[in-house]
């Protein structure tokens, strides 16, 4: 009979038992625009809903909508638990100052969409944006699209070099608040697609495009004001909880009329299939029909220094991820995405270990039991190879009925310790 919370790992000539309490299958929450009216398919604007099949997505959000395209991209990449926060059909993106509004919703919807995403307790938030679209290079109204109307870009990271007006900054601040208050999470966002008169790009055009001159510096120190709690704090870099992806690719069976995807869905879907201690570096990008461009070595080096992940062709002409970086500052503890994911998983494991002690009397026996449970959970992660070493100390604050857990963890791929503090309300 299976033991709750215990996972048996069969190895060659011996076996071992370890705890692994983190939930199975990361949740991806997509922020994307619908083309239908609120309430269609019994889904209101700015609500969060689990999406299980393409037909339901089409019915609720509209065929060829941003929600529809993001769902197809994620399924092609292998994602399983997909949630949508449909933005109203009249949503307007103002990329000059990173604001997003809807007349039907009464004005700014930035805080509302993250409050909705928070309700699903996501592991990843995907700020969807498109890749190159036939409208971009079909300026004369010729085939394949008889239209001269530009298609909405959606979210993209390089909207402004001014840090205060960057989507990366504002999304990073919102995601960091969710991580601190509710559930550890990070966001994924892409670069603006190349818009030119031709679908096929020259090497010179690729080089200029990937310079990403309008991308804010990852090493900036900024003062952020949380618009929900009205609290100001200093954010090192512009997004340790944000991952930026720079590529344009076409997933398998992706309609030609949709053009290219910007890679965020492929990256998020791949992460959902990988353990936290597995890096995306050199991992194959599956179900990809074509890449719009293959970046040069010089472009890759430049983008890596800026904190951008790319997709390139390896020596076997297979598409792979170039790196696994967050958009944290170069001197941050969280420049590696694996470090961020391991710390997030350790935080979840500790919270879950403490959950059964909430509401229990604060006796010596209960405290010792909770400490033993935390020790067992962290040892399980160490046996799996997610962390190299760990230690913790618990401070009990009786008059506030809570405990502060100070974690010191050495994640895989790191030689330095990462310090994390977790607050658990016991009363």
């Amino acid at each position: 009979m299976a033991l709750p919370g215990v996972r048996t790992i069969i190895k060659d000539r011996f076996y071992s038992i370890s705890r692994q309490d983190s939930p199975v299958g990361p949740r991806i929450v997509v922020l994307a625009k619908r083309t239908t009216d609120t309430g269609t398919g019994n889904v209101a604007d700015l609500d969060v809903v689990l999406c299980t099949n393409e037909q339901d997505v089409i019915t609720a959000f509209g065929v060829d909508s941003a929600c529809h395209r993001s769902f197809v991209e994620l399924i092609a990449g292998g994602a399983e638990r997909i949630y949508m926060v449909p933005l109203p059909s009249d949503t307007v993106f103002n990329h000059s100052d990173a604001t997003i509004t809807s007349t039907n919703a009464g004005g700014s919807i930035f805080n509302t969409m993250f409050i909705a995403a928070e309700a699903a307790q996501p592991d990843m938030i995907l700020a969807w944006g498109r890749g190159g679209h036939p409208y971009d290079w079909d300026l004369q109204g010729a085939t394949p699209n008889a239209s001269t109307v530009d298609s909405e870009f959606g979210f993209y990271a390089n909207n402004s070099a001014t840090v205060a007006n960057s989507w990366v900054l504002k999304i990073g601040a919102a995601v960091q608040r969710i991580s601190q208050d509710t559930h550890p999470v990070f966001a994924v966002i892409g670069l603006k697609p190349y818009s030119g008169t031709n679908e096929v790009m020259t090497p010179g055009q690729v080089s200029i495009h990937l310079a990403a001159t309008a991308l804010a510096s990852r090493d900036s120190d900024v003062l952020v004001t949380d618009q929900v709690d009205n609290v100001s704090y200093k954010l090192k870099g512009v997004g340790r909880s944000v991952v930026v992806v720079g590529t344009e690719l076409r997933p398998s069976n992706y309609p030609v009329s949709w053009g290219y995807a910007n890679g965020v869905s492929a990256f998020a879907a791949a992460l959902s299939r990988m353990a936290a201690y597995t890096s995306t570096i050199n991992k194959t990008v599956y179900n990809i029909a074509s890449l719009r461009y293959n970046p040069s070595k010089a472009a890759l080096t430049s983008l890596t220094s800026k904190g951008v992940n790319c997709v390139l062709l390896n020596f076997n002409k297979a598409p792979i991820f170039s790196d696994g970086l967050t958009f944290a500052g170069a001197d941050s503890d969280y420049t590696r995405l694996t470090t961020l994911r391991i710390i997030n998983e350790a935080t979840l494991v500790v919270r879950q270990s403490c959950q059964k002690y909430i509401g229990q009397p604060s006796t010596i026996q209960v405290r010792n039991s909770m400490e033993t449970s935390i020790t067992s959970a962290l040892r399980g992660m160490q046996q799996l190879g997610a962390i190299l070493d760990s230690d913790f100390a618990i401070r009990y604050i009786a008059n506030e009925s809570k405990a502060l857990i100070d974690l010191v963890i050495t994640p895989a791929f790191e030689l330095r310790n990462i310090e994390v503090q977790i607050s658990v309300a016991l009363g």
Side-chain angles (χ1 to χ4, degrees):
M1 184 177 73
L3 300 177
V6 176
R7 175 182 178 184
T8 303
I9 305 173
I10 306 298
K11 298 182 179 180
D12 189 17
R13 300 181 63 186
F14 70 97
Y15 72 93
S16 62
I17 298 178
S18 64
R19 295 186 63 91
Q20 180 67 7
D21 292 334
S22 58
V24 177
R27 295 185 177 190
I28 302 175
V29 173
V30 182
L31 307 176
K33 187 176 176 180
R34 72 193 304 177
T35 57
T36 55
D37 295 333
T38 183
T40 304
N42 295 322
V43 180
D45 289 344
L46 299 170
D47 195 2
V48 61
V49 60
L50 174 64
C51 300
T52 56
N53 63 76
E54 185 178 357
Q55 186 54 54
D56 288 347
V57 171
I58 292 173
T59 300
F61 309 126
V63 65
D64 298 341
S65 64
C67 291
H68 181 201
R69 290 180 60 175
S70 62
F71 182 82
V72 171
E73 294 167 11
L74 286 169
I75 291 297
E80 294 182 350
R81 299 207 293 176
I82 304 171
Y83 290 76
M84 292 276 178
V85 175
L87 308 183
S89 58
D90 68 337
T91 296
V92 176
F93 293 85
N94 187 338
H95 298 294
S96 62
D97 59 357
T99 57
I100 181 169
T101 57
S102 165
T103 302
N104 293 340
S108 175
I109 61 173
F110 186 88
N111 292 332
T112 308
M113 66 185 184
F114 279 101
I115 291 172
E118 182 178 359
Q121 292 191 327
D123 298 282
M124 285 178 272
I125 294 179
L126 194 158
W128 188 86
R130 69 169 176 86
H133 195 281
Y135 290 155
D136 297 333
W137 55 80
D138 180 29
L139 302 181
Q140 303 304 316
T143 56
N145 287 296
S147 174
T148 57
V149 179
D150 189 22
S151 180
E152 177 63 64
F153 288 114
F155 295 96
Y156 59 87
N158 53 330
N159 66 303
S160 175
T162 303
V163 178
N165 296 329
S166 171
W167 280 118
V168 178
L169 166 73
K170 295 191 175 183
I171 290 175
V175 168
Q176 184 164 310
R177 183 190 63 81
I178 296 175
S179 297
Q180 291 173 344
D181 295 346
T182 308
H183 190 82
V185 61
F186 61 92
V188 187
I189 187 172
L191 293 181
K192 181 181 180 180
Y194 172 77
S195 297
T197 57
N198 297 311
E199 177 180 359
V200 179
M201 300 169 61
T202 66
Q205 291 171 331
V206 174
S207 178
I208 294 173
H209 171 63
L210 292 181
T213 54
L215 183 65
S217 172
R218 65 191 295 205
D219 293 313
S220 303
D221 287 331
V222 292
L223 187 66
V224 177
T225 301
D226 191 317
Q227 298 179 17
V228 175
D229 299 329
N230 197 28
V231 176
S232 297
Y233 55 90
K234 193 174 186 181
L235 188 65
K236 180 61 180 177
V238 293
R240 78 174 195 187
S241 297
V242 179
V243 177
V244 179
V245 182
T247 186
E248 291 189 45
L249 48 82
R250 182 174 285 138
S252 301
N253 299 319
Y254 203 63
V256 176
S257 61
W258 288 357
Y260 292 88
N262 68 349
V264 292
S265 299
F267 197 88
L271 287 176
S272 72
R273 308 291 295 183
M274 297 179 186
Y277 48 87
T278 302
S279 175
T280 55
I281 298 175
N282 207 39
K283 297 298 186 297
T284 302
V285 189
Y286 292 103
N287 292 331
I288 299 301
S290 62
L291 291 177
R292 192 176 186 189
Y293 52 78
N294 186 38
S296 65
K297 183 66 176 180
L300 283 175
T301 302
S302 174
L303 288 174
T304 298
S305 66
K306 294 181 178 182
V308 180
N309 303 275
C310 295
V311 175
L312 69 152
L313 298 178
N314 65 6
F315 295 109
N316 294 323
K317 307 300 186 293
I320 60 172
F321 294 114
S322 67
D323 222 320
L325 301 170
T326 68
F327 207 69
D331 59 348
S332 170
D333 288 335
Y334 296 91
T335 54
R336 292 183 179 91
L337 180 56
T338 48
T339 300
L340 177 66
R341 297 186 69 204
I342 289 169
I343 295 301
N344 285 353
E345 186 164 319
T347 301
L348 278 177
V349 166
V350 170
R351 285 178 174 175
Q352 290 166 359
S353 298
C354 297
Q355 188 172 5
K356 55 181 170 288
Y357 299 101
I358 296 176
Q360 298 295 325
S362 184
T363 62
I364 295 298
Q365 291 83 356
V366 171
R367 293 184 181 186
N368 289 341
S369 179
M370 186 171 73
E371 293 180 13
T372 302
S373 179
I374 296 173
T375 301
S376 177
L378 294 175
R379 186 183 296 117
M381 291 190 66
Q382 189 168 343
Q383 290 177 343
L384 288 173
I387 58 178
L388 305 179
D389 195 12
S390 65
D391 195 6
F392 68 93
I394 302 180
R395 291 175 291 151
Y396 297 95
I397 305 177
N399 60 340
E400 297 182 15
S401 297
K402 72 177 183 180
L404 296 179
I405 304 169
D406 296 312
L407 283 176
V408 180
I409 296 175
T410 306
F413 309 106
E414 294 281 1
L415 297 177
R416 55 186 172 182
N417 295 331
I418 309 295
E419 297 181 4
V420 184
Q421 185 178 86
I422 303 172
S423 175
V424 178
L426 299 175

